Amino acid sequence: MTMANAVQDYARTLTLRSPDHYRVGPFTVRHHPGWELKYANYAIPDREAEPTADDVAALVDAFREHERLPRLEFLPAWAPAVEPALLAAGFTVENRAPLLACGHGDLRTPTPVGGLRIAVPSTEAEFTDAARVQHQGFGGEGEPEPGMTDWLRAAATGDGVAVLDGTPAGAGGCSVAVDGLSELAGLAVAAPFRRRGVGAALSAWLTDRALGQGCRTVWLEPGGPDVERIYASIGYRRIGEKVNISLEPGGA
C-alpha cells in the first residue's frame, strides 16, 4: 500500500472508531455533534466505492438531517468512481490539497522563537484558549462552540498550545496513532503572531512529540502554498493529493 493510501486508510479507521460516526451506503461520516465547523464533519468513501445516485442522495439527506454541510474528503485514487458521482449530483470541488508526511530522520529544527512556550493544555483556561485560537484561526467569529472545547479535552494527549509574551499564540494537535501513523491537524496561529515562526515551532514540537511516542510517520494537509512552505522547512514532503468537495445550500 502506498503511503497516501495508508493515510486514507488511517483516516477512515479513525472515523470508524469515533463514537459519533455513522454509515450511509459506501460512506463513513465523521460527525461532531457539538461542533458545526465543516472541517470537522465530512464523509470518507470505502475503498473502490462505486456509489449510485441513490447512495449520494441518501448521503446528502443524512448530512442535512444532522444539520451539517454535505461534504467529503478523500484521495481520488482511493475510490476513482466517487468524484464523478458527486459532481453529477451537484457537488463542487472546494480544492485539491496536497498531503504531506514527515518520518524519523526527516524532521528539522526550526528557528527558535524567543519567549515562546509550548505545552499540552491541562487547565480549563488552557483548553478554552486553544479552542479560541483554532476557532478564530479557521475563520470563526466570537467564542468557540462548547463541543469544540470538549473535543480538545478528549484529545489532549496529542495537543499543544503555544504562548508568546503571555498570550495564547497558537494551537494544534496530533491525533491518536493507528499502525504508526498520526495526523497533525487543527494547527492555527492567532493573527497578531503570524509570520513570527510560531507555526513552524509548534508544528515541529507536535511532530517530534508524536514520533517520540512511537509513531513512524506524521501526516497533514496544509492550508495553502504559504503554509506548505512552512511545513517543508521542517522536513515534511508531498506524498499525494486529496480532494475536498461539498454541496452548498441550494444545490441539488
Side-chain angles (χ1 to χ4, degrees), residues 73-87:
E73 297 186 7
F74 64 98
L75 275 70
W78 170 266
V82 172
E83 185 177 347
L86 297 174
L87 294 174

Side-chain angles (χ1 to χ4, degrees), residues 230-245:
I230 292 173
Y231 290 122
S233 73
I234 62 170
Y236 278 83
R237 58 182 177 81
R238 285 196 182 207
I239 59 169
E241 183 180 76
K242 179 165 70 75
V243 64
N244 299 316
I245 186 169

